[in-house]
């Protein structure tokens, strides 16, 4: 088991460009979460999937953000028309069903918008 | 709304000294509480969790935390700090959403361990 992997680890982009992050969860985990972490803050919940179904989205997730998990395995988080305020670490986590709060996090994808 | 407050964004202790990281929660329902640790350039890792069983919870690497309802606290302790404990520690509270749970994290406490 290689854990949760995220790609890319770092992304620098210009304002207005689109970016996409990928997350590969632990293979037997059917829940997948996206969080965002800014400097000096704890992670903030964005959205989560159970298998391929996106069951909840935070109000933080504006219409420029879209997340998918098409086959219930890996997930992508796309940010369209990036803004400087989108600069953050985007964290992916996965968990087994029924195990409250035991999330396994990836190392994150750091986004810098210039 | 559920939330956690971590008192002290930075804590510095000497190697061998007691570690005490403070966390207070606010919840209208019985909470599930967690401590996660983030080592440099690594993902967050679960240290321990409270899910309404024993109030004193033991975790990995010698850490433990005690749930005190009367004080709405869930402080993290370790009797003797080691250099390898230097990291950022996050307290988190969970509330159930449908059939899953999501975590609300505190702002974190960076632990520095000095010789």
């Amino acid at each position: 088991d290689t854990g949760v992997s995220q790609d890319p680890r770092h992304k620098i982009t210009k304002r207005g460009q689109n970016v996409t992050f990928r997350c590969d969860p632990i293979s037997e985990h059917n829940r997948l979460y996206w969080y965002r972490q800014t400097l000096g803050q704890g992670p903030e919940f964005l959205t989560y999937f159970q298998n391929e179904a996106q069951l909840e989205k935070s109000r933080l997730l504006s219409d420029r953000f879209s997340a998918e998990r098409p086959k219930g395995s890996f997930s992508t988080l796309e940010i369209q028309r990036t803004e400087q305020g989108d600069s953050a670490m985007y964290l992916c986590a996965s968990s087994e069903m029924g195990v409250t709060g035991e999330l396994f996090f990836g190392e994150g994808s750091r986004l810098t918008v210039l | 709304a559920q939330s956690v407050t971590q008192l002290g964004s930075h804590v510095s202790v000497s190697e061998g000294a007691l570690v005490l990281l403070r966390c207070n929660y606010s919840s209208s329902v019985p909470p599930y509480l967690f401590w996660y640790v983030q080592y440099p350039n690594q993902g967050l890792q679960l240290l321990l969790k409270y899910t309404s069983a024993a109030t004193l919870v033991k975790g990995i690497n010698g850490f433990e935390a005690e749930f005190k309802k009367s004080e709405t606290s869930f402080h993290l302790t370790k009797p003797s700090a080691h250099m390898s404990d230097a990291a950022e520690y996050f307290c988190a509270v969970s509330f159930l959403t449908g059939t899953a749970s999501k975590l609300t994290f505190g702002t974190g406490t960076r632990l520095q361990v000095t010789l």
Side-chain angles (χ1 to χ4, degrees), chain B residues 1 11 25 38 40 49-50 52 69 80 92 109 115:
Chain B
V11 170
Y25 70 90
Q38 187 173 30
K49 67 175 183 178
Y50 166 76
S52 73
K69 185 177 179 180
S80 177
T109 298
L115 290 173

Side-chain angles (χ1 to χ4, degrees), chain A residues 33-90:
Chain A
Y33 304 77
W34 286 98
Y35 283 78
R36 180 172 68 186
Q37 185 177 17
T38 54
L39 200 61
Q41 300 296 318
E44 296 173 294
F45 171 80
L46 293 179
T47 188
Y48 91 89
F49 293 82
Q50 183 163 300
N51 300 314
E52 66 276 8
Q54 187 174 19
L55 296 186
E56 187 169 347
K57 293 194 295 185
S58 163
R59 286 171 292 179
L60 293 174
L61 215 63
S62 75
D63 55 6
R64 296 184 299 105
F65 288 71
S66 62
E68 294 182 343
R69 195 182 182 197
K71 298 182 179 178
S73 56
F74 73 92
S75 176
T76 58
L77 176 68
E78 181 183 18
I79 308 173
Q80 296 182 326
R81 305 181 304 280
T82 53
E83 302 173 356
Q84 287 186 325
D86 297 332
S87 295
M89 179 75 84
Y90 290 87

